[in-house]
Amino acid sequence: DQQVKQNSPSLSVQEGRISILNCDYTNSMFDYFLWYKKYPAEGPTFLISISSIKDKNEDGRFTVFLNKSAKHLSLHIVPSQPGDSAVYFCAASEGYGQNFVFGPGTRLSVLP
Amino acid sequence: GAGVSQTPSNKVTEKGKYVELRCDPISGHTALYWYRQSLGQGPEFLIYFQGTGAADDSGLPNDRFFAVRPEGSVSTLKIQRTERGDSAVYLCASSLPGHDSTDTQYFGPGTRLTVL
């Protein structure tokens, strides 16, 4: 049973537009969430995080929104750039020092 | 500074053989994680070290898998009697757990293991 779900295996967006990647989780004990980006033949790279005491965290073009009641988070990228094309993983943990559970990933393609 | 490094980058072995995968974490990072990623899936947790000790090994699939971190830095993941189903990319990550739980994990490039 997947505790972290990313129901869209792929997403295509035009350059300059907004990319919205979604993530749902089932474990109500999760209280810390991260997004990672992965290019082919490289390890995942940390992008942005959010803890359960917040509902939004912003870093440049990247914003993560957390809806605890819906057990849903989303990553917004605006404006999208071709270099953003990668696989994006959502990950969650039950807190400090706990291992992370990853979703299956969403492949984002930003078209020039 | 140097990131997490993993060796070898690729390993091809035959069913039944023994393999060792090495991870060099970022200097000073006390926490070290091993994950396994199969095609089309996200990384799957295997084991977590805090210092020299395994704080959580609940992700190891069976007793053929073992990991050590004898001096609290470099870690080796050991797989005995490899099976074709062990074929995957094995990722290592390290972090410096902070007081505010922002223990972001930094990943290495992975070792692609292929068991023939």
Side-chain angles (χ1 to χ4, degrees), chain B residues 73-91:
Chain B
S73 72
V74 171
S75 176
T76 305
L77 178 66
K78 309 181 180 190
I79 311 174
Q80 299 177 320
R81 303 184 304 279
T82 52
E83 299 177 356
R84 292 194 180 88
D86 298 335
S87 297
V89 175
Y90 288 81
L91 293 163

Side-chain angles (χ1 to χ4, degrees), chain A residues 81-98:
Chain A
Q81 300 173 353
D84 296 330
S85 297
V87 177
Y88 288 77
F89 293 101
C90 168
S93 80
E94 294 185 15
Y96 173 76
Q98 300 299 309

Side-chain angles (χ1 to χ4, degrees), chain A residues 2 31-32 34 36 38 41-47 49 51 87 89 93 95-105, chain B residues 33 35 37 40-45 48 50 56 58 91 97-110 112:
Chain A
Q2 274 191 335
D31 67 355
Y32 185 53
L34 298 91
Y36 280 85
K38 185 180 184 302
E42 295 182 12
T45 303
F46 169 74
L47 200 55
S49 66
S51 71
V87 177
F89 293 101
S93 80
Y96 173 76
Q98 300 299 309
N99 64 282
F100 284 89
V101 179
F102 282 77
Chain B
Y33 302 77
Y35 292 85
Q37 185 175 15
Q41 298 181 22
E44 174 192 4
F45 169 76
Y48 155 54
Q50 181 59 251
D56 182 354
S58 61
L91 293 163
H99 299 294
D100 59 354
S101 80
T102 55
D103 50 340
T104 301
Q105 296 178 26
Y106 297 89
F107 282 82
R112 180 175 297 279

